[in-house]
Structures are given as C-alpha cells and as structure tokens.
Amino acid sequence: MKLTKSFSFIVLTLVFALVSCQGPRPIVPYDSDSEDVSVPLLPNEEEYPDSYTFGPDSIAGLSLRYGMETEDEEIYVNIDSFTILDINPRVTGSLLSFIKNEMETFGFIKPTASLSAADSISGFAESNFSEEFIESEFENLKKEFFNELPVIKEYGSAFNITFNIYPVFIDTNYVTFLKSAYCYTGGAHGNSSLELETFDITTGKALNLYDIIKADRLDEVRDEVAAHMAYSYPIYENLHTVDEYIDSLNVWLGNDKDSSSDDEDETITLKNFPLPTPALNLTGLVFVYEPYQLTPGSDGSPIVVIPYKELKGCLKVTPPEN
C-alpha cells in the first residue's frame, strides 16, 4: 500500500512538473486565418427562370441588384449584391432587417419607417418566397428614403451606402450569410460593417453563441480565439506569447490592472476575452470582431477561423463534412 501511494505521488509530481514546464502559450502562425471567408457561394449548374439553385439539396435562390439613386449622384442607396435562398422566410426577413437597420443608423430613413419584413419577421414567415414580394419591400424602402431626402440634402455632403449580402456556406442543416455595408455621410472616411451569420435551415433561426458552443467549453474556445488573434492582429511588434498579447491589448485600451476594482472589470484576460457569435463555414468557426474593438480602425473587421479539428468536443452543432 505504501509503495502504491509513493508511486501515485511520483506520477502526480511528474504530471504537475510537465504542465508547469509548458509555460505561456507561444504565438504561432495559423494557416486557417488566411482563408477568404467572403467568397460567395456559387450556384449549381442547373438554372430555373430568374433563379439558380445552391447547395447539396438544390435550394432555389435569386440575386438582386437594386439602387435608389437621386438626381444627385452622391446621394444614393445601392444593393450591389443581394442573394436570397428559398429556405425559410425568416432568413429573408433577417436579411431585409439588416438593410433597414443600417439605413436607419446612418440617417437614410427614419427609425419609424414601416416595413413588413423588418418590423414583423414572424408575420413575414407566413409570406410566400417570391421575387415580387422582395421587390415590394425595396419599394417601401425607396419610398421612405425619398421621404427623408430633403433632410439629407440639408447636410450638404455626400451620402451613399452600398450593401453586399450573399451566402458563403450551406449544408443540409445550416446556411451562413455574409452581410456587409459601406456608408459615407461626410468626413475623412466612411464606415464599414461586416457580419457573418448562420441560420438553421429548418427553423430560420439565427444561431447564437450558445447554440453553437457548449457553455462549459467556452474557456477552451476563448483560448483558441485569443491565440489566433495574437498572431493575426497584434497591436505591437515583438510579442512572443499570448499572455504578452493580452497585456498589450490592455495597454492599448488604457486598462490598468493596478487601478480600482471598477477598472479591473474592464481588464481583458483569457477568462473574459471577448467572444463574438461565430458563423459556420466549411473549415471551421469564423469569428468577426467589430472595428476598433480589439484593433486599430485600419484593420477593419478582424476575422479569425478556428478549424473544427481544434474544437473537438466543444460544439453543439454538427460540423460539416469536408
């Protein structure tokens, strides 16, 4: 019995020593982060009148280009690319909501503008998928835009916004859309927004963080995301470990670990590293951060891709087969 206890103690000591010797996690390159996650999903060869099919189940869809131009070429709304799939009306309603919300945010329409799809997605779910219905929604947007034009022109500067919305991934369970907008309303530069959002094909529900990742495995995912961000988007040069990267973030953000307890809540650590809702693509989970959140504005919207092989046991969703 004594021999067994002594042997167990030696094993535990060796394990602890090995773990201790590992030290801080080094910053290393990750090939997955060089992947272009904005590549549009290509339609299948089969084509129906005014529509294409996408994905393994030949889901019908259509692409629209829509502009709301005025006599002044510097004041317009342009839907440069907008692809809609006949999956679930709630998905289409969510995409239309993105357009409406961005136009509201930048003053192209009033917040009180009424659009059936954007204001009542549950009601929209009862509508039929059709190009005619989508066109009618754009006509409503156009009407609200022209109603607001007199106010916009009082600013005396260029006002334009361009949208790109299209699918980048689809399988039998989920579809991921890229939603981007670039808006210029005067000043030194415009504002960009970029989102990747994954929907459940059956329900049309947008997946949230806890739909995708198991709650008790979030810390592991945070570690992976922080390591990828440390390599792809370092704030300063000559950083060698993820811990050094975290410290540099706090310096850049002005967080002082030695300050009051209120300020300590803002200090970034591996335990509270910001974790946006990811999207699914063929390789892994795609995490998109807002401009200025963890990087200078020159980096735009930082994107890191965590391969599914690095997330074994962490996911609630079923990863697609490569």
Side-chain angles (χ1 to χ4, degrees), residues 18-87:
L18 287 172
V19 172
S20 300
C21 289
Q22 288 178 353
R25 182 169 179 169
I27 296 176
V28 297
Y30 295 94
D31 294 337
S32 60
D33 293 329
S34 62
E35 180 178 347
D36 186 356
V37 298
S38 64
V39 177
L41 184 70
L42 296 177
N44 300 327
E45 293 296 324
E46 187 176 5
E47 181 180 358
Y48 295 99
D50 301 320
S51 67
Y52 296 91
T53 57
F54 296 81
D57 294 330
S58 296
I59 296 172
L62 56 92
S63 292
L64 300 174
R65 294 182 181 275
Y66 204 88
M68 303 180 196
E69 297 185 8
T70 65
E71 294 179 0
D72 185 342
E73 294 182 356
E74 292 187 327
I75 302 178
Y76 66 90
V77 178
N78 183 47
I79 315 298
D80 187 56
S81 176
F82 184 28
T83 301
I84 310 150
L85 302 182
D86 189 8
I87 295 175

Coordinates of all heavy atoms in Angstrom, one line a residue, residues 18-87:
L18 N 5.5 18.6 -15.7 CA 5.3 18.8 -17.1 C 4.4 19.9 -17.5 O 4.7 20.7 -18.4 CB 4.8 17.5 -17.8 CG 5.8 16.3 -17.8 CD1 5.0 15.0 -18.2 CD2 6.9 16.6 -18.8
V19 N 3.3 20.0 -16.8 CA 2.4 21.1 -17.1 C 3.0 22.5 -16.8 O 2.9 23.4 -17.5 CB 1.1 21.0 -16.3 CG1 0.2 22.2 -16.4 CG2 0.3 19.7 -16.7
S20 N 3.8 22.5 -15.7 CA 4.4 23.8 -15.3 C 5.5 24.2 -16.3 O 5.7 25.4 -16.5 CB 5.0 23.6 -13.9 OG 4.0 23.3 -12.9
C21 N 6.1 23.2 -16.9 CA 7.2 23.5 -17.8 C 6.7 24.0 -19.1 O 7.5 24.5 -19.9 CB 8.1 22.2 -18.0 SG 9.1 21.8 -16.6
Q22 N 5.4 23.8 -19.4 CA 4.9 24.2 -20.7 C 5.0 25.7 -20.8 O 5.2 26.3 -21.9 CB 3.5 23.7 -20.9 CG 3.4 22.2 -21.1 CD 1.9 21.8 -21.2 OE1 1.0 22.6 -21.0 NE2 1.7 20.6 -21.5
G23 N 4.8 26.4 -19.7 CA 4.9 27.9 -19.8 C 3.8 28.5 -20.6 O 2.8 27.9 -21.0
P24 N 3.9 29.9 -20.8 CA 2.9 30.6 -21.5 C 2.8 30.1 -23.0 O 3.8 29.6 -23.5 CB 3.4 32.0 -21.5 CG 4.4 32.1 -20.3 CD 5.0 30.7 -20.3
R25 N 1.6 30.2 -23.5 CA 1.4 29.7 -24.9 C 2.1 30.6 -25.9 O 1.9 31.8 -25.9 CB -0.1 29.7 -25.2 CG -0.5 29.1 -26.6 CD -1.9 28.9 -26.7 NE -2.3 28.4 -28.0 CZ -3.5 27.9 -28.3 NH1 -4.4 27.8 -27.4 NH2 -3.7 27.4 -29.5
P26 N 3.0 30.1 -26.7 CA 3.7 30.9 -27.7 C 2.7 31.4 -28.8 O 1.7 30.7 -29.1 CB 4.8 30.0 -28.2 CG 4.2 28.6 -28.1 CD 3.4 28.7 -26.8
I27 N 3.1 32.5 -29.5 CA 2.3 32.9 -30.6 C 2.9 32.2 -31.9 O 4.1 32.4 -32.1 CB 2.5 34.5 -30.8 CG1 1.8 35.2 -29.6 CG2 1.8 34.9 -32.1 CD1 2.0 36.7 -29.6
V28 N 2.1 31.5 -32.6 CA 2.5 30.8 -33.8 C 1.5 31.1 -34.9 O 0.4 31.5 -34.7 CB 2.5 29.3 -33.5 CG1 3.5 28.9 -32.4 CG2 1.1 28.8 -33.1
P29 N 2.0 30.9 -36.2 CA 1.1 31.2 -37.3 C 0.0 30.1 -37.4 O 0.1 29.0 -37.0 CB 2.0 31.1 -38.5 CG 3.2 30.3 -38.0 CD 3.3 30.5 -36.6
Y30 N -1.2 30.5 -37.9 CA -2.3 29.7 -38.2 C -2.7 29.8 -39.6 O -3.2 30.9 -40.0 CB -3.5 30.0 -37.3 CG -3.2 29.7 -35.8 CD1 -2.7 30.7 -35.0 CD2 -3.3 28.4 -35.3 CE1 -2.4 30.5 -33.6 CE2 -3.0 28.2 -33.9 CZ -2.6 29.2 -33.1 OH -2.3 28.9 -31.8
D31 N -2.6 28.8 -40.4 CA -3.0 28.9 -41.9 C -4.4 29.2 -42.1 O -4.8 29.8 -43.1 CB -2.6 27.6 -42.6 CG -1.1 27.3 -42.6 OD1 -0.3 28.3 -42.5 OD2 -0.7 26.1 -42.7
S32 N -5.3 28.7 -41.2 CA -6.7 28.9 -41.4 C -7.1 30.3 -41.4 O -8.1 30.7 -42.1 CB -7.5 28.2 -40.3 OG -7.2 28.7 -39.0
D33 N -6.4 31.2 -40.8 CA -6.8 32.6 -40.7 C -6.5 33.4 -42.0 O -6.9 34.5 -42.2 CB -6.0 33.4 -39.6 CG -6.5 32.9 -38.2 OD1 -7.7 32.5 -38.1 OD2 -5.7 32.8 -37.3
S34 N -5.8 32.7 -43.0 CA -5.6 33.3 -44.3 C -6.7 33.0 -45.2 O -6.7 33.4 -46.4 CB -4.2 32.8 -44.8 OG -4.2 31.4 -45.0
E35 N -7.6 32.1 -44.8 CA -8.8 31.7 -45.7 C -9.7 32.9 -45.9 O -10.0 33.7 -45.0 CB -9.5 30.6 -45.0 CG -10.7 30.1 -45.8 CD -11.4 29.0 -45.1 OE1 -10.9 28.4 -44.2 OE2 -12.6 28.6 -45.5
D36 N -10.1 33.0 -47.2 CA -11.0 34.1 -47.6 C -12.5 33.6 -47.3 O -13.0 32.8 -48.0 CB -10.9 34.4 -49.1 CG -11.7 35.6 -49.5 OD1 -12.5 36.1 -48.6 OD2 -11.6 36.0 -50.6
V37 N -13.1 34.1 -46.2 CA -14.4 33.7 -45.8 C -15.5 34.5 -46.5 O -16.7 34.3 -46.2 CB -14.6 33.7 -44.3 CG1 -13.6 32.8 -43.6 CG2 -14.4 35.2 -43.8
S38 N -15.1 35.4 -47.4 CA -16.1 36.3 -48.0 C -16.4 35.8 -49.5 O -17.2 36.5 -50.2 CB -15.6 37.7 -48.1 OG -14.5 37.8 -48.9
V39 N -15.9 34.6 -49.8 CA -16.2 34.1 -51.2 C -17.6 33.7 -51.3 O -18.1 32.9 -50.6 CB -15.3 33.0 -51.5 CG1 -15.6 32.4 -52.9 CG2 -13.8 33.4 -51.4
P40 N -18.4 34.3 -52.3 CA -19.8 33.9 -52.4 C -20.0 32.4 -52.8 O -19.2 31.8 -53.5 CB -20.3 34.8 -53.6 CG -19.3 35.9 -53.7 CD -18.0 35.3 -53.2
L41 N -21.1 31.9 -52.2 CA -21.4 30.5 -52.6 C -21.9 30.5 -54.0 O -22.7 31.2 -54.5 CB -22.6 30.0 -51.7 CG -23.0 28.6 -51.8 CD1 -22.0 27.7 -51.3 CD2 -24.4 28.4 -51.1
L42 N -21.2 29.6 -54.8 CA -21.5 29.6 -56.2 C -22.8 28.7 -56.5 O -23.0 27.7 -55.9 CB -20.4 29.0 -57.0 CG -19.1 29.8 -57.0 CD1 -18.0 29.0 -57.7 CD2 -19.3 31.1 -57.6
P43 N -23.6 29.2 -57.4 CA -24.8 28.4 -57.7 C -24.5 27.1 -58.5 O -23.4 27.0 -59.1 CB -25.7 29.4 -58.6 CG -24.7 30.3 -59.2 CD -23.6 30.4 -58.2
N44 N -25.4 26.1 -58.4 CA -25.2 24.9 -59.1 C -25.4 25.2 -60.6 O -25.9 26.3 -61.0 CB -26.2 23.9 -58.7 CG -26.0 23.5 -57.2 OD1 -24.9 23.5 -56.7 ND2 -27.0 23.2 -56.5
E45 N -25.1 24.2 -61.4 CA -25.2 24.4 -62.9 C -26.7 24.6 -63.3 O -27.0 25.3 -64.2 CB -24.6 23.2 -63.6 CG -23.1 23.2 -63.5 CD -22.4 24.4 -64.1 OE1 -22.9 24.9 -65.1 OE2 -21.4 24.8 -63.5
E46 N -27.6 23.8 -62.6 CA -29.0 23.9 -63.0 C -29.6 25.2 -62.8 O -29.4 25.9 -61.7 CB -29.8 22.8 -62.2 CG -31.2 22.6 -62.7 CD -31.9 21.5 -61.9 OE1 -31.3 21.0 -61.0 OE2 -33.0 21.2 -62.2
E47 N -30.3 25.7 -63.7 CA -30.9 27.1 -63.6 C -32.4 27.1 -63.9 O -32.8 26.4 -64.9 CB -30.2 28.0 -64.6 CG -30.7 29.5 -64.5 CD -30.0 30.4 -65.4 OE1 -29.0 29.9 -66.1 OE2 -30.3 31.6 -65.5
Y48 N -33.2 27.7 -63.1 CA -34.6 27.9 -63.3 C -34.8 29.3 -63.8 O -33.9 30.2 -63.7 CB -35.4 27.7 -62.0 CG -35.3 26.2 -61.5 CD1 -34.4 25.9 -60.5 CD2 -36.1 25.2 -62.1 CE1 -34.3 24.6 -60.1 CE2 -36.0 23.9 -61.6 CZ -35.1 23.6 -60.6 OH -35.0 22.3 -60.2
P49 N -36.0 29.6 -64.4 CA -36.2 31.0 -64.8 C -36.0 32.0 -63.7 O -36.6 31.9 -62.6 CB -37.7 30.9 -65.2 CG -37.9 29.5 -65.6 CD -37.1 28.7 -64.7
D50 N -35.1 33.0 -63.9 CA -34.8 34.0 -62.9 C -34.3 33.5 -61.6 O -34.3 34.3 -60.6 CB -36.1 34.9 -62.7 CG -36.6 35.5 -64.0 OD1 -35.8 36.0 -64.8 OD2 -37.8 35.5 -64.2
S51 N -33.8 32.3 -61.5 CA -33.3 31.8 -60.3 C -32.3 30.8 -60.5 O -32.2 30.2 -61.6 CB -34.4 31.3 -59.3 OG -35.0 30.1 -59.9
Y52 N -31.4 30.5 -59.5 CA -30.4 29.4 -59.5 C -30.7 28.5 -58.4 O -31.6 28.7 -57.6 CB -29.0 30.0 -59.4 CG -28.6 31.0 -60.5 CD1 -28.9 32.3 -60.4 CD2 -28.0 30.5 -61.6 CE1 -28.5 33.2 -61.4 CE2 -27.6 31.3 -62.6 CZ -27.8 32.7 -62.5 OH -27.4 33.5 -63.6
T53 N -29.9 27.4 -58.3 CA -30.0 26.5 -57.2 C -28.7 26.5 -56.5 O -27.6 26.6 -57.1 CB -30.4 25.1 -57.6 OG1 -29.5 24.6 -58.5 CG2 -31.8 25.1 -58.2
F54 N -28.7 26.3 -55.2 CA -27.5 26.4 -54.3 C -27.5 25.1 -53.4 O -28.5 24.7 -53.0 CB -27.4 27.6 -53.5 CG -27.4 28.9 -54.2 CD1 -28.5 29.5 -54.8 CD2 -26.1 29.6 -54.4 CE1 -28.4 30.7 -55.5 CE2 -26.1 30.7 -55.1 CZ -27.2 31.3 -55.6
G55 N -26.3 24.7 -53.1 CA -26.2 23.7 -52.1 C -26.5 22.3 -52.5 O -26.9 22.0 -53.6
P56 N -26.3 21.3 -51.5 CA -26.5 19.9 -51.9 C -27.9 19.5 -52.2 O -28.1 18.5 -52.8 CB -26.0 19.2 -50.6 CG -26.2 20.2 -49.5 CD -25.9 21.6 -50.2
D57 N -28.9 20.3 -51.7 CA -30.3 19.9 -51.9 C -30.9 20.8 -53.0 O -32.1 20.9 -53.1 CB -31.1 20.1 -50.6 CG -30.7 19.0 -49.6 OD1 -30.2 17.9 -50.0 OD2 -30.8 19.3 -48.4
S58 N -30.0 21.5 -53.8 CA -30.5 22.3 -54.9 C -31.6 23.3 -54.4 O -32.7 23.3 -54.9 CB -31.1 21.5 -56.0 OG -30.1 20.7 -56.6
I59 N -31.2 24.1 -53.4 CA -32.1 25.1 -52.9 C -32.2 26.3 -53.9 O -31.2 26.9 -54.2 CB -31.7 25.6 -51.5 CG1 -31.7 24.4 -50.5 CG2 -32.5 26.7 -51.0 CD1 -31.1 24.7 -49.2
A60 N -33.4 26.6 -54.2 CA -33.6 27.7 -55.2 C -33.3 29.1 -54.6 O -33.4 29.3 -53.4 CB -35.0 27.7 -55.7
G61 N -32.8 30.0 -55.4 CA -32.5 31.3 -54.9 C -32.4 32.3 -56.1 O -32.4 31.9 -57.2
L62 N -32.3 33.6 -55.7 CA -32.2 34.6 -56.7 C -31.3 35.7 -56.2 O -31.1 35.9 -55.0 CB -33.6 35.1 -57.1 CG -34.5 35.7 -56.0 CD1 -34.2 37.2 -55.9 CD2 -35.9 35.4 -56.3
S63 N -30.7 36.4 -57.1 CA -29.8 37.5 -56.8 C -30.4 38.8 -57.4 O -30.8 38.8 -58.5 CB -28.4 37.3 -57.3 OG -27.8 36.2 -56.7
L64 N -30.4 39.8 -56.6 CA -30.9 41.1 -57.0 C -29.9 42.2 -56.9 O -29.0 42.2 -56.1 CB -32.1 41.5 -56.1 CG -33.3 40.6 -56.0 CD1 -34.3 41.1 -55.0 CD2 -34.0 40.5 -57.4
R65 N -30.0 43.2 -57.8 CA -29.2 44.4 -57.7 C -30.2 45.5 -57.7 O -31.1 45.6 -58.5 CB -28.3 44.6 -58.9 CG -27.2 43.5 -58.9 CD -26.2 43.7 -60.1 NE -25.2 42.7 -60.1 CZ -24.1 42.7 -59.4 NH1 -23.9 43.8 -58.6 NH2 -23.2 41.7 -59.4
Y66 N -30.1 46.4 -56.7 CA -31.1 47.4 -56.5 C -30.5 48.7 -56.1 O -29.7 48.8 -55.2 CB -32.1 47.0 -55.5 CG -33.5 47.6 -55.6 CD1 -34.5 47.1 -56.4 CD2 -33.8 48.8 -55.0 CE1 -35.7 47.7 -56.6 CE2 -35.0 49.4 -55.1 CZ -36.0 48.8 -55.9 OH -37.2 49.4 -56.0
G67 N -30.8 49.8 -56.8 CA -30.3 51.1 -56.5 C -31.4 52.1 -56.2 O -32.5 52.0 -56.8
M68 N -31.2 53.0 -55.3 CA -32.1 54.1 -55.0 C -31.4 55.4 -55.3 O -31.0 56.1 -54.4 CB -32.6 54.0 -53.6 CG -33.3 52.7 -53.2 SD -33.8 52.7 -51.5 CE -34.1 50.9 -51.3
E69 N -31.2 55.7 -56.5 CA -30.4 56.9 -56.9 C -31.2 58.1 -57.0 O -32.4 58.0 -57.3 CB -29.6 56.6 -58.2 CG -28.6 55.4 -58.1 CD -27.8 55.3 -59.4 OE1 -27.9 56.2 -60.2 OE2 -27.1 54.3 -59.5
T70 N -30.6 59.2 -56.7 CA -31.3 60.5 -56.8 C -30.7 61.3 -58.0 O -29.8 60.9 -58.6 CB -31.2 61.3 -55.5 OG1 -29.8 61.6 -55.3 CG2 -31.7 60.4 -54.3
E71 N -31.2 62.5 -58.2 CA -30.6 63.4 -59.2 C -29.2 63.7 -58.8 O -28.3 64.0 -59.7 CB -31.4 64.7 -59.3 CG -32.8 64.4 -59.9 CD -33.6 65.7 -60.0 OE1 -33.1 66.7 -59.6 OE2 -34.8 65.6 -60.5
D72 N -28.9 63.7 -57.5 CA -27.5 64.0 -57.0 C -26.9 62.6 -56.9 O -27.2 61.8 -56.1 CB -27.6 64.7 -55.7 CG -26.2 65.1 -55.2 OD1 -25.2 64.5 -55.7 OD2 -26.1 65.9 -54.3
E73 N -25.8 62.4 -57.7 CA -25.2 61.1 -57.7 C -24.5 60.7 -56.4 O -24.1 59.6 -56.2 CB -24.2 61.0 -58.9 CG -24.8 61.0 -60.2 CD -23.8 60.9 -61.4 OE1 -22.6 60.9 -61.0 OE2 -24.2 60.9 -62.5
E74 N -24.3 61.7 -55.5 CA -23.6 61.5 -54.3 C -24.6 61.1 -53.2 O -24.2 60.9 -52.0 CB -22.8 62.7 -53.9 CG -21.6 63.0 -54.8 CD -20.8 64.1 -54.3 OE1 -21.3 65.0 -53.6 OE2 -19.5 64.0 -54.4
I75 N -25.9 61.0 -53.5 CA -26.9 60.6 -52.5 C -27.6 59.4 -53.1 O -28.5 59.5 -53.9 CB -27.8 61.7 -52.2 CG1 -27.1 62.9 -51.7 CG2 -28.8 61.3 -51.1 CD1 -28.0 64.1 -51.4
Y76 N -27.3 58.2 -52.6 CA -28.0 57.0 -53.1 C -27.8 55.8 -52.2 O -26.9 55.8 -51.3 CB -27.4 56.7 -54.5 CG -26.0 56.2 -54.6 CD1 -25.6 54.9 -54.4 CD2 -24.9 57.1 -54.7 CE1 -24.3 54.5 -54.4 CE2 -23.6 56.7 -54.7 CZ -23.3 55.4 -54.6 OH -22.0 55.0 -54.6
V77 N -28.6 54.8 -52.4 CA -28.5 53.6 -51.8 C -28.4 52.5 -52.9 O -29.1 52.5 -53.9 CB -29.8 53.2 -51.0 CG1 -29.7 51.9 -50.3 CG2 -30.1 54.3 -49.9
N78 N -27.4 51.6 -52.7 CA -27.1 50.7 -53.7 C -27.0 49.3 -53.1 O -26.2 49.0 -52.2 CB -25.8 51.0 -54.5 CG -25.6 50.0 -55.6 OD1 -26.4 49.7 -56.4 ND2 -24.3 49.5 -55.6
I79 N -27.9 48.4 -53.6 CA -27.8 47.0 -53.2 C -27.0 46.3 -54.2 O -27.5 45.8 -55.3 CB -29.2 46.3 -53.1 CG1 -30.2 47.2 -52.3 CG2 -29.1 44.9 -52.4 CD1 -29.8 47.5 -50.9
D80 N -25.7 46.2 -54.0 CA -24.8 45.8 -55.1 C -24.9 44.3 -55.3 O -24.9 43.8 -56.4 CB -23.3 46.1 -54.7 CG -22.3 45.8 -55.8 OD1 -22.5 46.3 -56.9 OD2 -21.4 45.0 -55.6
S81 N -25.2 43.5 -54.3 CA -25.4 42.1 -54.4 C -26.3 41.6 -53.3 O -25.9 41.8 -52.1 CB -24.1 41.3 -54.4 OG -24.3 39.9 -54.4
F82 N -27.4 41.0 -53.6 CA -28.3 40.5 -52.6 C -28.9 39.2 -53.0 O -29.7 39.2 -53.9 CB -29.4 41.6 -52.4 CG -30.4 41.2 -51.3 CD1 -30.0 40.5 -50.2 CD2 -31.7 41.7 -51.3 CE1 -30.9 40.2 -49.2 CE2 -32.6 41.4 -50.3 CZ -32.2 40.6 -49.2
T83 N -28.4 38.1 -52.5 CA -28.9 36.8 -52.9 C -29.8 36.3 -51.8 O -29.5 36.3 -50.6 CB -27.7 35.8 -53.0 OG1 -26.8 36.4 -54.0 CG2 -28.1 34.5 -53.4
I84 N -31.0 35.8 -52.3 CA -32.0 35.2 -51.4 C -32.2 33.8 -51.7 O -32.3 33.4 -52.8 CB -33.3 36.0 -51.5 CG1 -33.1 37.5 -51.4 CG2 -34.3 35.6 -50.4 CD1 -34.1 38.2 -52.3
L85 N -32.2 32.9 -50.7 CA -32.4 31.5 -50.9 C -33.8 31.1 -50.4 O -34.3 31.6 -49.3 CB -31.4 30.7 -50.1 CG -29.9 30.9 -50.5 CD1 -29.0 30.0 -49.7 CD2 -29.7 30.8 -52.0
D86 N -34.4 30.2 -51.1 CA -35.8 29.7 -50.7 C -35.7 28.7 -49.6 O -35.9 27.5 -49.8 CB -36.5 29.2 -51.9 CG -38.0 28.9 -51.6 OD1 -38.4 29.3 -50.5 OD2 -38.7 28.3 -52.5
I87 N -35.2 29.1 -48.4 CA -35.0 28.2 -47.3 C -36.1 28.3 -46.3 O -36.9 27.4 -46.0 CB -33.6 28.4 -46.7 CG1 -32.5 28.1 -47.6 CG2 -33.5 27.6 -45.4 CD1 -31.2 28.4 -47.1

